[in-house]
Amino acid sequence: MFAARGLLRALRSCSSAPSPRHKPSTTLSVRDALGSQNTNGERVKVQGWIRSVRSQKEVLFLHVNDGSSLENLQVVADSSFDSRELAFGSSVEVQGQLIKSPSKRQNVELKAEKIEVVGNCDAKTFPFKYKERHPLEYLRQYPHLRCRTNVLGSILRVRSEATAAIHSFFKDHGFVHIHTPIITSNDCEGAGELFQVEPSSKMKLPEENFFDVPAFLTVSGQLHLEVMSGAFTRVFTFGPTFRAENSQSRRHLAEFYMVEAEMSFIESLQDLMQVMEELFKSATMMVLSSCPEDVELCHKFIAPGQKIRTYAKKQLFNWGDDLHTEHEKYLVKHCGNIPVFVINYPLALKPFYMRDNEDGPQHTVAAVDLLVPGVGELFGGSLREERYHFLEQRLARSGLTEAYQWYLDLRRFGSVPHGGFGMGFERYLQCILGIDNIKDVIPFPRFTHSCLL
């Protein structure tokens, strides 16, 4: 306690730099400059990249952006500042006065007193051209540069806001954030689509493992969250997961992000579904409130280009068959193109940890998926099998008793009814932005035969 107070006092008193004799220009982001209420000639400094250059006889106009906003800041300068170095893509530092703009297109503009080119850009060889709207497929060829385009900038800002919104939801609802491991010896999904982890240089004999057991990149943090749910009634994790699926489809990545939560003392799917619905609504409302222009850009220029697939109105599957993407999208469309919960799946289709409903011939488990327009499955969750003997029997039938003895131990020592869910973060972004290909909503997509950078 006393040590913590001392640390706080030290932090308050420390200074990283001596006070300057003359007050320097205030450094503002483009977003802050555009929203500034002080337009009485306040001297400011803005740093960013040139998005357009327009030179007239006596005046030079630059549009500068630093990634903080979709809208650019207009810089007005004397024509004497004009040079070949002031080109599309060049990085600049501009100092001057922030004044009210006479144009109706923007509220403020920066009257430049000094323009410094920090880094040149050869506009002729730069792969993106001013005023040209490049297809997302084309941008994918340049993962090191595509973040500089308007559309990727908007997607990544939405991604950042959505991340903050999800964390905010869990914090406000009393969840404890758990950092689950990336390297694991468990296969939560049981599908066997795992990346095995080994040292790049053999430090031991070839037949030996670095960890003494086979280790893999995680496919889910669920089982580790279940461990934590024995001590905390509400826990969540938000991190990368990995699947070695040999697929280049628009729905699959080898590395993607999952939002996962576990809750103790819940005994009905309705309780679980309520949290899933509240998370979806809360995060989306916060994103729409925080960056409406970015969402609108995606809806205006990307979503209209989606191909709407239709399916004949017929029986697409029988009881006991698994749902595929076309079935999921058909169900969503059939219900009016709104999010749809599907519950109580056949036991034979689901992993060992889902709770047996004991419901006779159909024999289902207490599982739930949330299907959404354009994507299909977004959330997947279930009540967990907390009854020791039921779980023991299912593990024995699968030949997993020895590997999951620790999981059985959780049921021996203070077990409680509990459940949880996972949400694919990239699929969530696809859903709210109307983006057809999952590779366009993650900064650096990894999929089979492709690991650029």
Side-chain angles (χ1 to χ4, degrees):
M1 180 103 175
F2 294 109
R5 289 175 181 171
L7 179 60
L8 284 172
R9 283 196 297 270
L11 288 172
R12 292 191 188 107
S13 63
C14 71
S15 175
S16 59
S19 300
R21 293 182 181 178
H22 304 288
K23 185 179 178 180
S25 300
T26 303
T27 301
L28 293 181
S29 68
V30 166
R31 183 186 181 95
D32 289 342
L34 291 170
S36 177
Q37 300 299 315
N38 187 356
T39 56
N40 299 319
E42 178 191 7
R43 280 183 165 74
V44 301
K45 177 167 65 176
V46 171
Q47 300 157 321
W49 293 266
I50 297 174
R51 289 294 175 87
S52 71
V53 183
R54 183 161 51 93
S55 180
Q56 296 182 354
K57 188 174 182 180
E58 296 181 351
V59 66
L60 175 70
F61 295 96
L62 302 177
H63 279 164
V64 175
N65 196 289
D66 64 353
S68 62
S69 165
L70 175 61
E71 186 180 353
N72 301 317
L73 176 65
Q74 178 166 281
V75 175
V76 183
D78 188 87
S79 58
S80 61
F81 280 105
D82 196 6
S83 82
R84 291 183 179 179
E85 291 184 331
L86 293 176
F88 172 64
S90 295
S91 55
V92 292
E93 183 175 284
V94 183
Q95 297 185 50
Q97 297 180 55
L98 201 60
I99 60 173
K100 186 172 180 59
S101 175
S103 172
K104 294 181 179 180
R105 294 182 179 181
Q106 62 270 328
N107 295 323
V108 299
E109 60 187 27
L110 183 58
K111 185 178 180 182
E113 297 172 349
K114 179 183 178 183
I115 302 176
E116 179 185 351
V117 176
V118 179
N120 296 322
C121 178
D122 184 353
K124 291 182 179 179
T125 58
F126 192 53
F128 309 138
K129 305 305 176 187
Y130 172 58
K131 283 190 175 180
E132 190 171 335
R133 193 177 300 146
H134 302 284
L136 292 173
E137 293 80 7
Y138 175 78
L139 299 183
R140 243 174 267 144
Q141 301 175 59
Y142 303 96
H144 57 306
L145 297 173
R146 67 174 185 162
C147 56
R148 305 189 190 190
T149 62
N150 279 343
V151 64
L152 259 294
S154 287
I155 291 170
L156 294 175
R157 276 188 296 273
V158 170
R159 186 181 174 100
S160 176
E161 289 295 334
T163 300
I166 289 166
H167 278 276
S168 177
F169 171 85
F170 283 123
K171 182 177 176 60
D172 292 345
H173 287 76
F175 283 77
V176 175
H177 186 194
I178 302 295
H179 294 116
T180 55
I182 299 289
I183 300 174
T184 177
S185 58
N186 299 317
D187 177 7
C188 177
E189 297 296 319
E193 295 162 340
L194 302 169
F195 288 103
Q196 188 158 356
V197 178
E198 295 178 353
S200 58
S201 59
K202 291 291 183 182
M203 297 175 9
K204 298 183 178 182
L205 296 174
E207 64 272 9
E208 293 184 359
N209 291 302
F210 181 85
F211 297 102
D212 291 336
V213 295
F216 311 94
L217 296 180
T218 183
V219 297
S220 171
Q222 178 206 315
L223 298 184
H224 297 95
L225 284 183
E226 283 198 63
V227 171
M228 294 297 164
S229 70
F232 306 93
T233 55
R234 291 189 160 201
V235 292
F236 83 100
T237 192
F238 188 167
T241 53
F242 307 85
R243 303 278 172 87
E245 291 181 288
N246 187 17
S247 172
Q248 295 191 25
S249 78
R250 300 179 177 208
R251 300 180 72 245
H252 294 99
L253 290 167
E255 178 185 7
F256 54 96
Y257 279 70
M258 284 288 290
V259 179
E260 298 178 274
E262 288 288 324
M263 292 162 284
S264 299
F265 300 100
I266 67 166
E267 300 187 44
S268 75
L269 279 181
Q270 191 62 42
D271 294 337
L272 196 61
M273 291 156 60
Q274 184 175 344
V275 178
M276 292 161 69
E277 183 175 341
E278 288 175 356
L279 170 60
F280 182 83
K281 288 180 176 178
S282 173
T284 304
M285 291 292 289
M286 190 175 291
V287 168
L288 293 175
S289 173
S290 301
C291 42
E293 301 89 357
D294 293 310
V295 175
E296 184 181 356
L297 175 76
C298 294
H299 289 174
K300 186 175 181 180
F301 295 116
I302 300 174
Q306 288 193 102
K307 295 179 180 178
I308 306 300
R309 297 175 177 84
T310 59
Y311 306 99
K313 191 173 182 180
K314 60 182 181 180
Q315 187 171 354
L316 295 180
F317 49 89
N318 299 304
W319 177 255
D321 294 342
D322 203 357
L323 292 182
H324 298 293
T325 306
E326 61 267 26
H327 305 141
E328 295 169 351
K329 291 185 177 180
Y330 173 81
L331 287 172
V332 171
K333 185 183 177 185
H334 179 73
C335 295
N337 277 319
I338 60 173
V340 176
F341 282 110
V342 179
I343 64 173
N344 296 333
Y345 282 78
L347 178 142
L349 298 177
K350 292 299 182 178
F352 62 85
Y353 50 76
M354 295 191 176
R355 197 178 199 275
D356 191 337
N357 281 328
E358 300 181 86
D359 51 358
Q362 290 185 329
H363 207 177
T364 64
V365 289
V368 56
D369 286 342
L370 177 60
L371 313 181
V372 296
V375 173
E377 181 193 342
L378 177 60
F379 283 80
S382 75
L383 300 182
R384 314 310 189 193
E385 186 56 82
E386 86 284 4
R387 297 165 296 183
Y388 181 89
H389 294 296
F390 279 80
L391 182 60
E392 184 181 39
Q393 290 170 11
R394 291 191 68 182
L395 286 170
R397 286 197 296 269
S398 304
L400 298 172
T401 303
E402 184 177 352
Y404 287 91
Q405 188 61 52
W406 65 269
Y407 194 67
L408 278 170
D409 281 350
L410 300 179
R411 275 65 180 170
R412 294 174 59 208
F413 305 114
S415 179
V416 299
H418 63 288
F421 62 81
M423 179 187 79
F425 186 52
E426 282 73 27
R427 289 190 183 181
Y428 170 73
L429 295 174
Q430 283 185 276
C431 173
I432 65 171
L433 297 178
I435 294 176
D436 193 39
N437 198 314
I438 197 170
K439 300 176 185 67
D440 298 318
V441 294
I442 191 167
F444 303 101
R446 273 81 172 95
F447 51 97
T448 181
H449 308 305
S450 179
C451 187
L452 301 177
L453 302 191

